[in-house]
């Protein structure tokens, strides 16, 4: 895999915005996004949409940020700092999704604008705790997904959004077609939740090309933040100028390595880890001029 270049000391890195929730346990959400972005040579800027009270065993509650405050964070950083790509994660409610959609239109984020947007339609944590109000699913379908340059649901999110139970390649293809039909430029159906399989396959579709990405399944219970890490790596690669299929290829390998490097934490599920990059001897070679 060709890693994304790190900036030379003192040089301004490319910037990526994450609009998402915080995880007090540091495993998922904005914390996972920021870790992956840093190790992909990206300066992360953030719009906090919700604060979760979370650890390795679950989410006990969350606090929603007022929608206008979420939108103002986006305005503040896009105008001053400038970004090459953005991603959304936990958005919690219809009101926040509406505010995010409005500000995306205003600043040119998403498939209708000039800055690519990766939409991770987060509905629940891996522990099954809700991160989205149930009445916000329609806003995910009809307001959020149509903004997406790439939408990246896991199989539980696919079921909630499309009603399709993905059990094999045929149902995964049907789901990708439906997600594209909802308005996403590219749909990536992630196979991480097909636990019985020996491999982990994600399917990417843009209305024409159906591209599958397969890696061996990593046997680990420490997979907290895998989806955020994948979406953050896609957004980072897009900001570095890669095409969507190239960005997904890169991110799939990135998350596989982060799963292989995951560590134990607390009493529950530990986080996937991008720290493996810190010990790479060839990091200097990855520096951009
Ligand atoms: N055990 C695993 N081994 C290899 N790849 C995995 C494994 N679990 C998840 N993945 C991959 O990690 C990414 C995130 O997947 P998934 O776990 O489905 O997302 P989420 O964290 O949103 O539930 C996908 O590319 C998926 O294929
Ligand atoms: C704030 C926040 N955002 C996203 C997730 C999903 O991650 P996972 O599926 O690993 O629980 C999470 N648990 N918390």
């Amino acid at each position: 895999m060709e890693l994304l270049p790190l900036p030379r000391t003192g040089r301004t890195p490319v910037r990526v915005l994450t609009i998402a929730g915080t995880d007090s346990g540091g495993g998922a959400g904005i914390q996972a996004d920021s870790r992956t972005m840093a190790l992909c040579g990206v300066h992360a800027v953030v719009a906090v949409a919700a604060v979760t009270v979370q650890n390795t065993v679950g989410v006990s509650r969350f606090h929603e940020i007022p929608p206008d405050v979420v939108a103002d964070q986006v305005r503040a950083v896009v105008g001053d700092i400038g970004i090459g790509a953005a991603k959304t994660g936990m958005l919690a409610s219809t009101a926040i999704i509406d505010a995010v959609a409005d500000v995306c239109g205003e600043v040119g984020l998403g498939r209708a604008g000039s800055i690519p947007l990766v939409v991770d339609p987060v509905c629940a944590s891996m522990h099954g705790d809700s991160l989205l109000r149930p009445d916000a699913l329609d806003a995910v379908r009809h307001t959020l997904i149509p903004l997406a340059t790439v939408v990246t649901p896991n199989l539980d999110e696919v079921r909630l959004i499309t009603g399709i139970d993905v059990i094999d390649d045929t149902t995964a293809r049907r789901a990708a077609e439906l997600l594209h039909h909802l308005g996403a430029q590219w749909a990536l159906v992630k196979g991480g939740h097909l636990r019985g399989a020996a491999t982990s396959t994600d399917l990417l579709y843009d209305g024409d090309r159906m591209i599958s990405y397969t890696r061996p399944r990593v046997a680990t219970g420490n997979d907290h933040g895998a989806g955020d890490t994948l979406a953050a790596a896609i957004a980072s690669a897009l900001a570095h100028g890669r095409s969507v299929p190239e960005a997904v290829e890169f991110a799939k390998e990135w998350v596989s390595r982060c799963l292989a490097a995951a560590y134990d934490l607390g009493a529950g599920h530990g986080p996937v880890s991008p720290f493996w990059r810190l010990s790479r001897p060839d990091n200097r070679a990855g520096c951009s001029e």
Side-chain angles (χ1 to χ4, degrees):
M1 169 178 61
E2 195 191 334
L3 293 171
L4 296 175
L6 301 174
R8 288 207 173 277
T9 306
R11 288 282 180 88
T12 306
V14 297
R15 283 83 57 205
V16 173
L17 168 65
T18 169
I19 312 170
T22 64
D23 171 357
S24 48
I30 286 176
Q31 282 71 16
D33 293 341
S34 305
R35 266 197 301 278
T36 272
M37 288 177 191
L39 289 166
C40 287
V42 166
H43 175 94
V45 291
V46 306
V48 181
V51 174
T52 69
V53 178
Q54 183 171 181
N55 57 24
T56 65
V57 295
V59 182
S60 56
R61 60 187 293 205
F62 64 79
H63 170 73
E64 293 172 22
I65 303 301
D68 60 313
V69 178
V70 180
D72 277 349
Q73 293 173 79
V74 176
R75 278 186 199 99
V77 296
V78 172
D80 173 45
I81 295 170
I83 56 170
K87 68 152 287 210
T88 64
M90 174 189 185
L91 295 180
S93 74
T94 300
I96 294 177
I97 291 171
D98 286 347
V100 167
D102 287 349
V103 76
C104 282
E106 189 187 307
V107 302
L109 273 179
R111 65 170 300 189
S114 57
I115 306 169
L117 176 69
V118 181
V119 170
D120 189 11
V122 172
C123 296
S125 77
M126 66 177 306
H127 324 90
D129 301 315
S130 177
L131 298 174
L132 179 81
R133 295 198 207 181
D135 65 5
L137 266 178
D138 258 344
V140 169
R141 284 186 200 105
H142 303 299
T143 306
L144 189 59
I145 289 180
L147 296 173
T149 308
V150 197
V151 65
T152 64
N154 66 30
L155 297 187
D156 299 316
E157 290 151 359
V158 166
R159 192 177 309 110
L160 285 169
I161 293 165
T162 69
I164 296 173
D165 205 1
V166 173
I167 48 165
D168 54 16
D169 186 57
T170 309
T171 42
R173 281 167 182 264
R174 274 226 324 273
E177 283 162 4
L178 219 150
L179 288 158
H180 176 260
H181 189 71
L182 281 174
Q185 189 178 345
W186 292 86
L188 182 70
V189 173
K190 298 182 294 193
H193 290 211
L194 273 182
R195 305 249 179 240
T199 53
S200 156
T201 298
D202 301 349
L203 202 57
L204 182 68
Y205 180 63
D206 70 343
D208 175 29
R209 284 166 289 177
M210 193 71 85
I211 309 171
S212 75
Y213 300 85
T214 299
R215 291 291 179 286
R217 209 176 157 70
V218 179
T220 179
N222 294 330
D223 53 357
H224 192 32
D228 310 84
T229 297
L230 180 84
I234 296 172
S236 298
L238 292 173
H240 277 287
R242 302 224 180 152
S243 68
V244 170
E246 288 167 350
V248 173
E249 176 79 44
F250 164 76
K252 181 73 176 155
E253 180 64 24
W254 179 266
V255 75
S256 292
R257 294 192 190 194
C258 293
L259 278 151
Y263 48 86
D264 292 334
L265 192 73
H269 299 276
V272 307
S273 171
F275 292 149
W276 56 267
R277 185 170 188 181
L278 293 171
S279 52
R280 292 272 299 202
D282 57 349
N283 268 339
R284 295 304 310 162
C287 284
S288 54
E289 292 307 316

Coordinates of all heavy atoms in Angstrom, one line a residue, residues 21-23 28-29 52 54 90 122 124-126 131 223-226 228, ligand 2:
G21 N -19.8 12.9 16.5 CA -19.9 12.9 18.0 C -18.6 12.6 18.6 O -17.7 12.0 18.0
T22 N -18.4 13.0 19.9 CA -17.2 12.7 20.6 C -17.5 11.3 21.4 O -18.6 11.0 21.7 CB -16.9 13.7 21.7 OG1 -17.9 13.8 22.7 CG2 -16.7 15.1 21.1
D23 N -16.4 10.6 21.6 CA -16.4 9.4 22.4 C -15.5 9.6 23.6 O -14.3 9.6 23.5 CB -16.0 8.2 21.5 CG -15.8 6.9 22.3 OD1 -16.0 6.9 23.6 OD2 -15.5 5.9 21.7
A28 N -14.0 5.7 19.3 CA -14.7 5.9 18.1 C -14.9 7.4 17.9 O -14.3 8.2 18.5 CB -16.0 5.1 18.1
G29 N -15.8 7.7 17.0 CA -16.2 9.1 16.8 C -15.1 10.0 16.4 O -14.1 9.6 15.7
T52 N -21.0 12.1 23.6 CA -21.5 10.8 24.1 C -20.8 10.5 25.5 O -19.6 10.8 25.6 CB -21.3 9.6 23.2 OG1 -19.9 9.3 23.1 CG2 -21.9 9.8 21.8
Q54 N -19.5 7.5 27.0 CA -19.2 6.2 26.4 C -17.9 5.7 27.0 O -17.0 6.4 27.3 CB -19.1 6.4 24.9 CG -18.9 5.2 24.1 CD -19.0 5.4 22.6 OE1 -18.9 4.5 21.8 NE2 -19.3 6.6 22.1
M90 N -21.8 10.5 13.7 CA -23.0 10.6 14.5 C -23.6 12.0 14.4 O -22.9 13.0 14.8 CB -22.7 10.3 16.0 CG -23.8 10.6 16.9 SD -23.3 10.5 18.7 CE -24.9 10.6 19.5
V122 N -24.2 7.0 10.9 CA -24.1 6.3 12.2 C -25.5 6.3 12.8 O -26.1 7.3 13.0 CB -23.1 7.0 13.1 CG1 -23.1 6.5 14.5 CG2 -21.7 6.9 12.5
A124 N -26.2 3.5 15.5 CA -26.0 2.9 16.8 C -24.5 2.6 17.0 O -23.7 2.5 16.1 CB -26.8 1.6 16.9
S125 N -24.1 2.4 18.3 CA -22.8 2.0 18.5 C -22.7 0.5 18.3 O -23.7 -0.2 18.2 CB -22.4 2.3 20.0 OG -23.0 1.4 20.9
M126 N -21.4 -0.1 18.3 CA -21.3 -1.5 18.2 C -21.9 -2.3 19.3 O -22.1 -3.5 19.2 CB -19.8 -1.8 18.1 CG -19.0 -1.5 19.4 SD -17.3 -2.0 19.2 CE -17.5 -3.7 18.7
L131 N -27.5 5.9 18.6 CA -26.8 7.2 18.5 C -27.5 8.1 17.6 O -27.1 9.2 17.2 CB -25.4 6.9 17.9 CG -24.4 6.1 18.8 CD1 -23.1 5.8 18.0 CD2 -24.1 6.8 20.1
D223 N -12.6 -4.1 17.8 CA -13.0 -3.4 16.5 C -13.8 -2.2 16.7 O -14.4 -1.7 15.8 CB -13.7 -4.4 15.6 CG -14.9 -5.0 16.3 OD1 -15.2 -4.7 17.4 OD2 -15.6 -5.8 15.6
H224 N -13.6 -1.6 17.9 CA -14.4 -0.3 18.1 C -13.7 0.8 17.2 O -12.5 0.9 17.2 CB -14.2 0.1 19.6 CG -15.1 1.2 20.1 ND1 -16.4 1.4 19.6 CD2 -14.9 2.1 21.0 CE1 -16.9 2.4 20.2 NE2 -16.0 2.9 21.1
G225 N -14.6 1.5 16.5 CA -14.1 2.6 15.7 C -13.7 2.2 14.3 O -13.1 3.1 13.6
A226 N -14.0 1.0 13.9 CA -13.5 0.5 12.6 C -14.2 1.3 11.5 O -13.5 1.8 10.5 CB -13.8 -1.0 12.4
D228 N -15.5 4.4 11.6 CA -15.0 5.8 11.6 C -13.7 5.9 11.0 O -13.4 6.8 10.2 CB -14.9 6.3 13.0 CG -16.2 6.1 13.8 OD1 -16.3 5.0 14.4 OD2 -17.0 7.0 13.9
Ligands
LIG2 C1 -19.5 9.2 18.9 C2 -19.5 7.9 18.2 N1 -19.6 7.8 16.9 C3 -19.6 6.6 16.2 C4 -19.6 5.5 16.9 C5 -19.7 4.2 16.2 O1 -18.6 3.4 16.3 P1 -18.7 1.8 16.7 O2 -19.6 1.2 15.7 O3 -17.3 1.3 16.7 O4 -19.3 1.8 18.1 C6 -19.6 5.5 18.3 N2 -19.7 4.4 19.1 N3 -19.6 6.7 19.0

